[in-house]
Amino acid sequence: MENPQVINRQHYQYVLENDMVPYETFRANYELKEKAGVSYYEAGKGPILLLLPGSTGRGISFFEYMMELSQDFHVITVDYPKVEGLNELAEKMLGFIKTLEEEKIHVFCHSFGSVLAQEMLKRQPDLFDQVIIAHGLSKDKLVGKSTIRNQQKSIRSFMRSISFLGYERFLKRFSKRLRRSFHIFPDDTSKRLFWEGFYEEMLYTTPKEIMLSNYHFMRDFWLHFVFEKDDFKVDSSKVHIIESYSDHQLNMPEKQALKALFEDADYHILEGDSANSLIKNKSQLIAMINEKCNVSEPH
């Protein structure tokens, strides 16, 4: 497990000290724990709010959310364990949730975390209250073969790079790509460099077997899973779907499928695109979590 005191400063060159303080505070005060085969961070008291990450599979990607939301919730953010596919991941996560000994929990999921949330909702709808899906996706019978092939091809290419480039070489290539993808804080270089370094550090501290596991469960989803509206015995008015404006405009089949499965869900559009959304739309997303999970006034 990570040492909560250690931050690799090599990833944060030219970042001003003030911009390191929130992350340093988190790493100094929150310990990565483990229960039922799942590693997790937790903080706060109140209703349980489970945060499910996207393709990074790393709960620490929510560290700012955790510190702010823990004023009103018992926030838990998880690292995805090594698994053979989506079925095993859902089984492990449901086993973990049952150890929390709460009647119902709230969920906020991002990107591919929405796929895991759907599979858990399908299996155990009674465990969940409000489910907030940010930039999610799904697959129903109307998603075409070309969309499925493109998704499979992209994931397969990524997994081959991990397996055959050599992991160190892959990490170097991917970290360069990560840094080029950050288009936030155009007027604050230090803040932008912090987030570039943060995701780079997260990449370098993800073992190869975990990286492959995360992409394997995504590939498994595109190969073997099809959801239908009747699969979900849940009040879809308790599901809240958040997209970016560009996602909405493109009418992507995997986005349309998610809305079709939960036709009574609240639907919200954020300005711009979904890139770096957890960072640039943090205030809006946290306000929405507080509102939908019945906390009227964020502290």
Side-chain angles (χ1 to χ4, degrees):
M1 290 189 184
E2 299 172 7
N3 183 334
Q5 305 296 326
V6 175
I7 295 173
N8 188 339
R9 293 284 179 159
Q10 181 179 350
H11 301 293
Y12 302 96
Q13 295 180 38
Y14 309 114
V15 177
L16 298 176
E17 189 55 42
N18 282 346
D19 293 324
M20 291 295 301
V21 169
Y23 183 47
E24 289 174 333
T25 300
F26 179 87
R27 291 293 293 270
N29 291 283
Y30 295 92
E31 177 187 0
L32 188 63
K33 303 176 181 179
E34 186 172 343
K35 181 163 58 177
V38 175
S39 297
Y40 65 101
Y41 293 98
E42 68 176 336
K45 295 181 179 180
I48 289 181
L49 173 64
L50 178 66
L51 308 180
L52 298 177
S55 59
T56 67
R58 299 290 298 278
I60 202 168
S61 60
F62 289 115
F63 83 90
E64 287 191 317
Y65 288 72
M66 187 172 181
M67 290 194 292
E68 291 194 37
L69 290 163
S70 62
Q71 298 175 73
D72 295 298
F73 298 96
H74 177 186
V75 186
I76 297 173
T77 176
V78 299
D79 285 357
Y80 295 147
K82 181 182 176 183
V83 293
E84 293 300 318
L86 181 55
N87 279 323
E88 185 181 355
L89 181 59
E91 288 171 9
K92 285 197 172 185
M93 285 304 308
L94 287 169
F96 171 76
I97 289 169
K98 289 172 184 177
T99 69
L100 303 177
E101 298 181 351
E102 289 287 329
E103 288 188 8
K104 286 183 180 290
I105 67 170
H106 304 303
V107 174
F108 174 73
C109 53
H110 176 250
S111 182
F112 250 97
S114 66
V115 171
L116 172 59
Q118 288 168 75
E119 183 61 23
M120 292 195 297
L121 268 176
K122 176 182 172 181
R123 295 177 184 217
Q124 293 275 286
D126 55 308
L127 292 178
F128 304 98
D129 192 349
Q130 304 297 313
V131 179
I132 303 173
I133 300 172
H135 311 296
L137 67 154
S138 193
K139 185 174 71 166
D140 62 10
K141 290 180 179 179
L142 297 179
V143 174
K145 291 181 180 179
S146 62
T147 297
I148 295 170
R149 279 197 304 268
N150 288 338
Q151 292 284 353
Q152 291 173 354
K153 181 179 177 181
S154 175
I155 294 170
R156 188 165 59 246
S157 174
F158 197 88
M159 294 176 72
R160 282 176 178 167
S161 295
I162 295 172
S163 298
F164 300 119
L165 274 179
Y167 199 50
E168 283 299 318
R169 189 178 171 196
F170 163 78
L171 291 175
K172 288 178 182 178
R173 283 193 178 186
F174 194 39
S175 67
K176 287 181 181 178
R177 194 168 107 191
L178 272 177
R179 286 189 176 271
R180 287 196 301 268
S181 72
F182 276 82
H183 303 290
I184 52 174
F185 301 115
D187 301 319
D188 194 327
T189 300
S190 176
K191 281 187 170 65
R192 175 177 56 79
L193 289 174
F194 167 75
W195 286 108
E196 289 179 7
F198 172 79
Y199 277 90
E200 184 178 71
E201 183 186 30
M202 189 162 56
L203 174 67
Y204 271 86
T205 54
T206 301
K208 177 179 178 179
E209 61 270 20
I210 295 297
M211 184 81 70
L212 283 169
S213 173
N214 291 341
Y215 280 86
H216 185 76
F217 101 70
M218 294 181 231
R219 184 167 177 262
D220 184 34
F221 165 71
W222 284 110
L223 282 170
H224 301 122
F225 286 76
V226 177
F227 291 128
E228 298 183 19
K229 188 159 53 176
D230 290 344
D231 289 336
F232 299 99
K233 310 302 181 186
V234 62
D235 179 358
S236 62
S237 67
K238 292 189 173 186
V239 177
H240 313 277
I241 298 172
I242 303 166
E243 284 188 357
S244 71
Y245 181 75
S246 61
D247 289 338
H248 169 72
Q249 289 293 96
L250 288 170
N251 292 320
M252 291 183 284
E254 60 267 41
K255 305 285 184 179
Q256 296 293 340
L258 181 63
K259 288 180 279 187
L261 291 171
F262 303 102
E263 59 183 12
D264 295 323
D266 282 342
Y267 179 54
H268 306 269
I269 301 174
L270 301 176
E271 291 184 7
D273 59 31
S274 59
N276 313 134
S277 181
L278 284 180
I279 303 165
K280 67 187 181 187
N281 296 316
K282 183 191 71 173
S283 295
Q284 290 171 273
L285 291 170
I286 286 178
M288 201 169 294
I289 292 168
N290 279 307
E291 176 191 348
K292 301 305 178 184
C293 298
N294 302 314
V295 177
S296 57
E297 292 290 337
H299 292 295

